[in-house]
């Protein structure tokens, strides 16, 4: 559907945390948007399963009948903010089939059915805006599609889950418990309806599938991404470790794609990203290192990104980019993924050893035998139970070799319980390609 009219009709599906923010901006900033763009953006229908929503926006037509609100011929843009892959998928399909442009924040839907929806949109001369699906209010998709179009992107590294970052920040900086921090993230509206999506790292993996796909011009499935969440971290390591990071990088002709808790050096700007903030580093062959920072979750930051998409559909920018750019999941080739064992990284290992002669020699022998070179070893005094915590950091090593060495170390009768293994990122050195 061409968006040529000066008045853009909109249906908002789902008027919760983000949907409410979108309707607020579109109504309160109507004049600002009109003076800036020459267009008026009119919310013609709000659809929600909760009729109480109608009381919040009495001047806008409310209905529980999504199909009718989508089909209204005056509606050009359908904004899907229901979330999840159930009814949201059904309504997006309905809207695209009717030739309506769709704006969505739904990363689960895009990560699972993106290819199908993009191809459906193409068939019906519609388009999809999804800036709010990754990094909340940070215009990261716009940066990749437009600002960095001169670059071959070699890596994206960052923090993409506000809930995890908030939990870790509150625990490390303010001494909160995990449960208290998670409850507060839910109250503040950062967390997904099912917060296990956040803390398991899946939400971040879905975002990496979307961003990595655009940046590397490849179709990435969630299953291509190695996943470790913050839900298995222990307090001791949280104090030392920091953030839930994600990394996508080119290694020769393959992509290394991973989401896991990561140690970053305190000099690294990522170490200062706290609360619900997100940060994304992109490395382009021409520009080098660029960094994008902002609120990654919450009503108004996400609404800011949704409204930007609505405006860009109205201006014709998104429909045009969608037609021309060959980076969307329905046109890109499937990603060639580097097997996780081939990953080269630095590692943090924390083991608990019995305070007996020769134990450290056995541990370092297992590491040496597997070609792993140590960068630092820290051993504290033994406690009453006659065990010593030992923290080892390594130089760059192969993931497969580290796993083999850890299996040998954990089989030693003098080492118990299982060794904790986290990865360390030294950026931008690691991705700068000498530029
Ligand atoms: N649950 C997500 C987060 C919301 O915490 O980052 C934004 O995608």
């Amino acid at each position: 559907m061409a968006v040529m009219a000066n008045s853009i009709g909109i249906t908002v599906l789902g008027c919760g945390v983000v949907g409410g923010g979108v309707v607020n901006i579109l109504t309160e900033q109507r004049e600002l948007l009109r003076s800036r763009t020459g267009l008026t953006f009119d919310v013609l229908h709000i659809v929600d399963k909760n009729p109480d929503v109608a009381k919040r926006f009495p001047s806008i037509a409310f209905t529980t009948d999504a199909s009718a609100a989508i089909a209204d011929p005056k509606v050009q843009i359908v904004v899907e903010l229901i979330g999840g892959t159930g009814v949201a998928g059904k309504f997006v399909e309905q809207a695209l089939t009717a030739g309506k442009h769709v704006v969505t924040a739904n990363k689960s839907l895009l990560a699972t059915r993106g290819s199908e929806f993009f191809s459906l949109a193409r068939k019906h001369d519609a388009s999809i805006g999804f800036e709010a699906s990754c990094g909340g209010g940070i215009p990261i998709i716009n940066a990749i599609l437009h600002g960095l179009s001169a670059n071959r992107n070699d890596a994206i590294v960052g923090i993409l889950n506000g809930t995890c970052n908030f939990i870790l920040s509150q625990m490390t900086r303010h001494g909160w418990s995990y449960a208290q921090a998670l409850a507060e993230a839910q109250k503040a509206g950062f967390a997904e309806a099912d917060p296990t999506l956040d803390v398991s790292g899946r939400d971040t993996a879905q975002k990496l599938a979307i961003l990595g796909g655009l940046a590397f011009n490849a179709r990435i499935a969630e299953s291509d991404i190695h996943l470790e969440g913050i839900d298995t971290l222990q307090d001791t390591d949280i104090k030392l470790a920091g953030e839930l990071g994600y990394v996508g990088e080119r290694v020769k002709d393959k992509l290394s794609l991973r989401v896991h808790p990561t140690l970053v050096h305190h000099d690294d700007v990522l170490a200062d990203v706290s609360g619900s903030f997100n940060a994304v580093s992109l490395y382009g062959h021409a520009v080098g290192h660029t960094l994008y920072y902002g609120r990654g979750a919450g009503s108004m930051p996400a609404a800011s990104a949704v409204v930007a998409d609505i405006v860009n559909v109205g201006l014709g920018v998104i429909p045009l980019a969608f037609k021309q750019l060959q980076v969307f999941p329905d046109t890109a080739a499937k990603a060639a993924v580097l097997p996780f064992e081939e990953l080269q990284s630095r590692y943090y290992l924390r083991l608990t050893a019995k305070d007996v002669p020769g134990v450290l020699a056995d541990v370092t022998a297992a590491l040496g035998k597997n070609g792993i070179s140590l960068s630092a070893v820290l051993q504290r005094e033994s406690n009453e139970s006659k065990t010593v915590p030992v923290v080892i950091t390594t130089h760059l090593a192969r993931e497969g070799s580290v796993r083999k060495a850890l299996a040998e170390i954990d089989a030693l009768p003098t080492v118990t319980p299982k060794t904790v293994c986290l990865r360390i990122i030294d950026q931008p050195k690691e991705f700068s390609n000498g530029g």
Side-chain angles (χ1 to χ4, degrees), residues 105 107 132-136 160-165 185 189-193 197-198 203-204 207 276 278 296-298 302:
K107 57 251 157 179
S133 63
C134 301
L160 262 190
N161 187 278
T163 302
C164 289
N165 205 45
F190 308 146
E192 297 301 302
L197 278 173
D198 294 298
D203 175 87
T204 310
K207 291 166 180 168
S276 67
N278 283 190

Side-chain angles (χ1 to χ4, degrees), residues 188-399:
F190 308 146
E192 297 301 302
D194 172 6
T196 54
L197 278 173
D198 294 298
V199 296
S200 68
R202 268 199 75 189
D203 175 87
T204 310
Q206 291 169 345
K207 291 166 180 168
L208 176 56
I210 296 168
L211 290 184
L214 300 177
F216 302 127
N217 198 3
R219 191 169 73 251
I220 298 174
E222 216 185 309
S223 55
D224 290 332
I225 299 169
H226 175 82
L227 186 66
E228 291 169 32
I230 62 163
D231 46 356
T232 52
L233 279 181
Q234 293 170 31
D235 281 8
T236 319
D237 303 301
I238 287 180
K239 286 197 188 93
L240 287 157
E243 325 293 353
L244 181 73
Y246 76 96
V247 178
E249 66 177 304
R250 273 189 211 281
V251 181
K252 297 192 180 125
D253 56 346
K254 298 235 166 43
L255 293 179
S256 164
L257 302 163
R258 48 203 167 101
V259 170
H260 50 66
T262 306
L263 279 134
V264 291
H265 195 270
H266 56 75
D267 282 348
D268 191 316
V269 281
L270 292 182
D272 282 330
V273 178
S274 65
S276 67
F277 278 83
N278 283 190
V280 185
S281 280
L282 258 149
Y283 297 80
H285 88 282
V287 70
H289 177 210
T290 58
L291 178 70
Y292 308 86
Y293 169 82
R295 288 194 189 277
S299 170
M300 292 307 267
S304 157
V306 170
V307 173
D309 272 352
I310 293 172
V311 170
N312 280 326
V313 170
L315 292 173
V317 175
I318 286 181
L320 187 62
F322 184 58
K323 265 201 191 96
Q324 286 293 127
L325 298 175
Q326 302 291 303
V327 297
F328 299 102
D330 62 317
T331 51
K334 187 167 166 27
V337 179
L338 186 81
F340 195 58
E341 310 77 64
E342 298 304 322
L343 168 72
Q344 294 278 334
S345 176
R346 292 187 58 222
Y347 292 83
Y348 155 102
L349 310 174
R350 183 175 60 78
L351 51 106
T352 309
K354 283 196 181 135
D355 194 2
V356 292
V359 57
L360 214 50
D362 290 342
V363 169
T364 52
L367 293 167
K369 201 173 84 190
N370 287 287
I372 299 155
S373 168
L374 308 191
S375 148
V377 178
L378 172 73
Q379 184 192 320
R380 296 228 164 89
E381 294 245 321
S382 67
N383 53 26
E384 306 84 54
S385 63
K386 296 279 177 238
T387 57
V388 279
V390 182
V391 172
I392 296 172
T393 57
T394 76
H395 290 295
L396 274 184
R398 195 181 148 273
E399 176 82 24

Side-chain angles (χ1 to χ4, degrees), residues 5-154:
N6 285 340
S7 160
I8 311 290
I10 298 162
T11 282
V12 175
L13 302 177
C15 200
V17 175
V18 181
V22 168
V23 177
N24 270 329
I25 296 179
L26 288 174
T27 47
E28 286 168 15
Q29 305 305 328
R30 186 181 153 84
E31 191 42 38
L32 173 85
L33 295 173
R34 196 204 54 74
S35 63
R36 210 176 255 174
T37 63
L39 303 171
T40 55
F41 295 93
D42 299 312
V43 181
L44 302 180
H45 306 279
I46 292 176
V47 183
D48 201 286
K49 61 179 188 221
N50 175 9
D52 287 347
V53 164
K55 293 184 206 136
R56 284 171 57 205
F57 303 102
S59 61
I60 301 174
F62 174 86
T63 175
T64 52
D65 183 354
S67 300
I70 293 169
D72 179 348
K74 292 192 290 305
V75 166
Q76 290 131 306
I77 303 177
V78 174
V79 180
E80 184 280 304
L81 298 168
I82 299 168
T85 52
V87 289
K90 183 179 133 195
F91 297 144
V92 165
E93 193 173 335
Q94 233 171 36
L96 294 173
T97 306
K100 314 277 168 147
H101 300 278
V102 167
V103 170
T104 180
N106 193 332
K107 57 251 157 179
S108 322
L109 199 59
L110 292 173
T112 50
R113 297 179 64 188
S115 187
E116 175 197 336
F117 287 136
F118 280 92
S119 131
L120 188 65
R122 228 172 273 289
K123 191 166 153 204
H124 295 280
D125 200 20
S127 65
I128 307 177
F130 51 102
E131 183 63 76
S133 63
C134 301
I138 306 172
I140 184 65
I141 290 177
N142 202 47
I144 296 173
L145 293 185
H146 303 289
L148 297 172
S149 57
N151 287 267
R152 181 198 66 230
N153 296 307
D154 289 323

